[in-house]
Amino acid sequence: MARIRILPEILSNKIAAGEVVARPASVVKELVENSIDAGSTRILVDVEQGGRKLIRVSDNGQGMGRDDALLCLERYATSKIATAPDLFAICTLGFRGEALPSIASVSRFTLVTREANADVGTQIEVAGGRINNVSDVGAPPGTLISVAGLFYNTPARRKFLKSIDTEMGHIADTIASMALCRPSVQFRLSHNDRIVKSWAPAAEPMDRVADVLGAAIKKELYTVDQTTGDIEIGGWIASPRMNRSTARGIYLFVNGRWVKDRVIQHALFAGYTGRLMKGQYPVAVLFLKVPFDQVDVNVHPTKHEIRFVRQKMVHDTVRDAVADALRQSDPTRWKASEPRPAELAQQPARVSEPHAAYHLPPTVSRTGSSAGDTVARQAASTAHAAMAENRQESPPPADSVNPPVPPVDPTARNTKPARQALLWKQRFFADLTVIGQYKGTYIICESEDGLMLIDQHAAHERIVFEQLRRQSNAHRPAAQRLLLPETIDLGFRETQILEKLAPELDRFGLEIEPFGGNTFVVKAVPTLLDSSGIAGMVTQLVEKAAEIGVGADMETIVDECLMVMACHNAIRAHQQLTGTQIKAMLEQLDACDNPSHCPHGRPIWIQWRLKELEKHFQRIV
Ligand code: ADP
Ligand code: MG
């Protein structure tokens, strides 16, 4: 006897609803997506009791005629795709034709819709998937859908609804994410007849971002703008200082669709590498444009998940775009944005006077040739000229600058301003006026903009970390043979790890050889490192590698090892420094790629701008 049967449509819609309609926010998402697809410029969302009692979405979009209005409640009925190839060129938010019948099967559903050129609108009432009434109504052009008593006929689902506040939070997040991506559309959300959020159409996308994320963040946002091949990345990322403890400040969009994509999120974090600590999340709004046939949006009924054909390329483009944007935030780049060459060529060189308490050796800047000379001498090379122009701000000519100017990146001229800024990265910290040291831990400086505190340990950790890494990339750094090789005894797991790690460490001049069993000897140490306590450092380093796990890639493990070495060697807090030591450290900080964060992602400096201070003292309002 046949036991298999095709399920009635109402039941299959209910099953689909299980996936598409997880909670009130999913209803809001589907309805607002439809309003956007219908070309609406105003979308109003009214909610009662966190969406349990009522969700109503009205729009001024293209509306539907009576036939379409009836059809849209059928499963797999859509106006957005028609043929199989369309599935690989999806440019609308919807395409599955599932949302409306699913929602209507688990609620008391009313649809009112009118096309602009129709005399009259259509109203359809549905309960639990059954159409109860169809009638003509007077209605403005557009569509209004109300969903009452969500899950009234699926008590198990209803039981899983969270508190009103939680559900409202999800709804507000959903609308915020859609609003970010459609700045020209007006959105309004009300709860129990009170307006919760209202976003007027924004002329500039940035204004909508500030509206959604809060005005305070506006000053801390950096523009992301990069095109690699046919992948475009735009948007804004916030300074690492504005970090959050959850991923809720991360909004990712692909071809206008809000997605939760691990590849992009991973790339975003990779771009922030070294600027965030464990457990910190960045704030970012990123828009990717990828050719429609390069991305599969048909992965899950909620359409939140996507797959890229060229995943690695997307990943690396996002990572680089983010890293480039963040480089702009480092203080050494602040100067790059100042228009100056012509005007400065006429100005006398400005020299920052060190604090009287420190007798720093006179720098060449006081005796150096004029900026004009510098430019003239180096005009032969455009790249060098660019450096020289910038150097007018801090006058020592190239040949007498101390420390030596880092080599010019030959690719720099061909790329974007972010890269060009690298050429100009030379003196920011070295030009600060050192006021003193606080608690033997923080260096107090006066900058052009205000008052700065620099964490000496974090700064030095960053310096040693980058020096080690740079040296090992170029060639095996100078190593110092130990007169008395130090032995280390390790546990079983650590022994295995060190066996694998030793050849990598050798690249840094840290020479470790097996000595039988679980014993190793350290034979040479990079000259950059202090050889005292080296056995302890190596043990710590192996423990760190064990903690990360062998699954991680070698680069990550080696970076962690470099962090341990840098930490081991960096000057500590509560250590008095001489003026010369401070000055040398600031100069070395200028040579760092990331002078803003220690290798663990902690900030190296904080600054109060003069204006902020004056506000605190109520000198200005
Ligand atoms: P999909 O969006 O995947 O096509 P839906 O079930 O969400 O499926 O909607 C079915 C169809 O109903 C849509 O393709 C569209 O033609 C129509 N529709 C839904 N909502 C609206 C709306 N707000 N304005 C105009 N048409 C709508
Ligand atoms: Mg839809």
Side-chain angles (χ1 to χ4, degrees):
M1 196 184 91
R3 286 176 295 127
I4 300 177
R5 75 196 77 160
I6 303 227
L7 295 177
E9 187 166 330
I10 290 190
L11 187 51
S12 61
N13 283 339
K14 263 190 170 181
I15 293 172
E19 282 180 311
V20 181
V21 193
R23 59 188 341 151
S26 4
V27 173
V28 171
K29 171 186 170 284
E30 293 296 337
L31 298 183
V32 173
E33 279 189 356
N34 282 344
S35 298
I36 291 172
D37 281 344
S40 314
T41 56
R42 195 186 65 235
I43 301 172
L44 311 179
V45 182
D46 301 306
V47 178
E48 286 179 26
Q49 304 288 325
R52 274 168 184 253
K53 191 167 170 207
L54 180 77
I55 298 166
R56 187 172 52 220
V57 175
S58 60
D59 66 48
N60 61 352
Q62 67 191 33
M64 286 178 270
R66 180 179 276 228
D67 289 349
D68 276 354
L70 281 165
L71 208 54
C72 78
L73 295 167
E74 302 271 337
R75 187 129 184 242
Y76 305 129
T78 179
S79 56
K80 300 170 192 174
I81 58 171
T83 61
D86 292 348
L87 202 49
F88 303 99
I90 288 167
C91 53
T92 47
L93 296 173
F95 59 90
R96 298 174 63 102
E98 265 182 330
L100 295 188
S102 300
I103 297 167
S105 73
V106 291
S107 66
R108 297 190 185 90
F109 180 101
T110 308
L111 162 71
V112 176
T113 185
R114 194 193 121 198
E115 287 175 309
N117 58 4
D119 298 335
V120 68
T122 305
Q123 173 167 315
I124 303 178
E125 286 164 45
V126 189
R130 247 177 259 283
I131 296 183
N132 289 335
N133 189 35
V134 182
S135 55
D136 286 346
V137 282
T143 302
L144 177 148
I145 289 176
S146 52
V147 176
L150 183 64
F151 300 137
Y152 82 99
N153 55 348
T154 47
R157 258 298 150 93
R158 199 169 168 81
K159 251 196 348 227
F160 279 104
L161 288 178
K162 296 278 186 305
S163 70
I164 289 180
D165 283 350
T166 307
E167 297 301 345
M168 257 335 268
H170 287 291
I171 291 174
D173 280 353
T174 301
I175 297 183
S177 63
M178 310 245 200
L180 279 172
C181 194
R182 298 289 190 288
S184 58
V185 176
Q186 178 195 346
F187 289 87
R188 198 194 67 194
L189 169 66
S190 76
H191 187 222
N192 299 342
D193 292 327
R194 236 192 64 240
I195 294 179
V196 181
K197 286 268 156 59
S198 178
W199 290 302
E204 289 296 323
M206 169 65 150
D207 294 339
R208 179 57 66 81
V209 173
D211 228 4
V212 173
L213 296 181
I217 213 165
K218 196 171 173 181
K219 277 186 277 174
E220 301 280 350
L221 289 177
Y222 311 117
T223 307
V224 178
D225 177 14
Q226 194 147 305
T227 304
T228 304
D230 46 17
I231 300 171
E232 279 175 48
I233 297 172
W236 291 270
I237 55 173
S239 151
R241 283 157 209 266
M242 305 301 285
N243 66 74
R244 305 240 172 120
S245 57
T246 69
R248 286 186 57 188
I250 301 175
Y251 294 90
L252 309 174
F253 302 89
V254 175
N255 296 341
R257 180 187 304 279
W258 174 40
V259 295
K260 291 178 178 154
D261 183 65
R262 288 225 226 125
V263 174
I264 313 177
Q265 183 150 328
H266 185 274
L268 173 70
F269 274 90
Y272 271 88
T273 300
R275 295 177 190 269
L276 291 172
M277 289 170 64
K278 235 187 176 162
Q280 292 182 334
Y281 291 75
V283 174
V285 180
L286 288 183
F287 302 103
L288 273 74
K289 271 200 211 157
V290 181
F292 290 120
D293 62 349
Q294 295 282 309
V295 46
D296 184 1
V297 289
N298 190 21
V299 178
H300 189 270
T302 59
K303 300 162 286 172
H304 269 320
E305 278 178 48
I306 47 167
R307 270 190 209 125
F308 295 107
V309 175
R310 289 171 300 165
Q311 180 171 310
K312 182 162 172 17
M313 173 144 178
V314 172
H315 177 275
D316 293 355
T317 310
V318 172
R319 180 198 58 203
D320 296 348
V322 169
D324 264 2
L326 286 171
R327 267 187 223 119
Q328 299 286 341
S329 68
D330 291 328
T332 34
R333 274 81 181 179
W334 294 349
K335 293 181 176 180
S337 60
E338 291 171 16
R340 90 168 54 75
E343 73 195 60
L344 266 167
Q346 295 145 21
Q347 284 177 12
R350 191 173 45 72
V351 178
S352 40
E353 285 300 329
H355 186 261
Y358 291 118
H359 298 287
L360 297 174
T363 62
V364 272
S365 58
R366 296 173 205 192
T367 55
S369 58
S370 79
D373 288 352
T374 314
V375 176
R377 231 180 313 131
Q378 301 197 339
S381 141
T382 322
H384 276 88
M387 293 175 71
E389 273 174 10
N390 188 57
R391 206 171 301 118
Q392 288 162 9
E393 168 120 0
S394 41
D399 46 3
S400 55
V401 169
N402 182 29
V405 179
V408 178
D409 172 3
T411 60
R413 277 170 42 211
N414 311 330
T415 50
K416 303 164 16 80
R419 290 255 178 268
Q420 194 143 31
L422 282 175
L423 294 177
W424 299 349
K425 184 196 92 170
Q426 27 204 327
R427 294 176 70 90
F428 172 82
F429 293 99
D431 277 353
L432 297 173
T433 305
V434 177
I435 297 172
Q437 204 187 5
Y438 175 62
K439 297 254 182 216
T441 302
Y442 303 104
I443 299 161
I444 312 171
C445 300
E446 183 182 332
S447 75
E448 247 173 76
D449 293 315
L451 194 62
M452 240 186 178
L453 281 191
I454 298 174
D455 179 326
Q456 66 192 41
H457 175 68
H460 201 225
E461 247 187 321
R462 164 56 63 183
I463 291 165
V464 179
F465 175 77
E466 287 202 16
Q467 283 177 347
L468 280 168
R469 196 160 62 176
R470 210 172 300 142
Q471 285 193 359
S472 72
N473 285 343
H475 48 82
R476 189 174 183 275
Q480 170 200 344
R481 301 228 135 252
L482 296 183
L483 284 178
L484 288 173
E486 286 212 37
T487 55
I488 312 164
D489 289 314
L490 295 173
F492 175 73
R493 200 164 121 75
E494 284 77 13
T495 302
Q496 284 181 314
I497 288 176
L498 188 52
E499 275 166 5
K500 272 202 211 131
L501 205 55
E504 297 293 330
L505 298 175
D506 191 72
R507 279 173 36 214
F508 302 97
L510 183 56
E511 220 179 291
I512 304 171
E513 283 179 8
F515 199 65
N518 294 346
T519 309
F520 291 83
V521 270
V522 184
K523 293 209 153 161
V525 178
T527 42
L528 261 175
L529 294 188
D530 178 4
S531 60
S532 64
I534 200 74
M537 188 205 78
V538 172
T539 310
Q540 203 187 334
L541 195 145
V542 179
E543 278 166 1
K544 190 85 211 172
E547 187 188 309
I548 307 169
V550 276
D553 61 301
M554 200 36 111
E555 204 181 326
T556 311
I557 297 177
V558 167
D559 261 5
E560 285 290 335
C561 291
L562 288 183
M563 284 182 210
V564 174
M565 293 189 213
C567 187
H568 172 79
N569 234 57
I571 50 166
R572 306 266 136 207
H574 311 296
Q575 190 175 326
Q576 286 300 327
L577 300 177
T578 66
T580 319
Q581 283 172 321
I582 291 177
K583 204 72 185 164
M585 186 162 85
L586 296 180
E587 281 177 354
Q588 288 170 342
L589 203 51
D590 277 329
C592 285
D593 278 338
N594 176 358
S596 297
H597 298 89
C598 85
H600 309 281
R602 269 197 302 275
I604 288 176
W605 53 268
I606 46 177
Q607 172 169 256
W608 295 271
R609 292 180 187 244
L610 181 59
K611 268 215 179 107
E612 287 168 54
L613 289 175
E614 288 187 327
K615 261 193 205 158
H616 279 297
F617 286 111
Q618 299 180 359
R619 284 170 165 268
I620 55 171
V621 280

